[in-house]
Amino acid sequence: MQYVTIEMPVRLWQRVDGCVDNSMAVDVVDAVMESVVAGSCVQDAGWRASAAYSGERDQFGWPPSEHLLPITLRRSHWDWILSQLDRWEPYETDGVAEDARGVIGEALREA
């Protein structure tokens, strides 16, 4: 089992978190429990990384948008994240998921 830590700006992690949340909401209804469990692990890692930040936060509790969050996950979870970003890409209008995919993909190639 390989763990990989990827640092990404909060603004990109927020898109990951949103896609994960959407996937979990749909997949729990469809009883795709492997996806729900993967999503729970991903969200927990993001919450832990965000909680480690000790500075000022925005009105939603997030660190500043350009603060780098060091997220540590199993490589399989990172692969799952990439698939969820692809899953929700048709609904994207601003290119943030593509940026997140680029950061993750580059880091995985180097790992």
Side-chain angles (χ1 to χ4, degrees):
M1 180 175 334
Q2 180 187 14
Y3 285 87
V4 179
T5 299
I6 299 176
E7 288 190 339
M8 74 171 42
V10 168
R11 68 182 178 78
L12 297 184
W13 183 255
Q14 287 172 321
R15 181 56 51 90
V16 169
D17 186 68
C19 287
V20 167
D21 191 55
N22 289 345
S23 294
M24 290 174 64
V26 170
D27 293 345
V28 75
V29 171
D30 293 337
V32 183
M33 299 316 292
E34 298 86 5
S35 181
V36 174
V37 170
S40 295
C41 293
V42 169
Q43 285 190 322
D44 184 65
W47 293 333
R48 288 174 187 271
S50 179
Y53 176 75
S54 62
E56 287 194 37
R57 297 171 177 274
D58 69 13
Q59 67 270 26
F60 302 108
W62 287 100
S65 65
E66 293 306 317
H67 173 74
L68 294 178
L69 291 175
I71 311 290
T72 302
L73 289 165
R74 292 179 183 177
R75 185 182 186 96
S76 61
H77 288 140
W78 286 114
D79 292 335
W80 181 83
I81 288 171
L82 291 173
S83 71
Q84 300 318 301
L85 289 169
D86 290 343
R87 178 181 185 179
W88 297 103
E89 182 180 27
Y91 307 102
E92 181 180 45
T93 59
D94 58 8
V96 175
E98 183 178 338
D99 293 343
R101 209 173 9 268
V103 168
I104 295 166
E106 181 178 336
L108 291 178
R109 283 188 295 278
E110 294 175 2

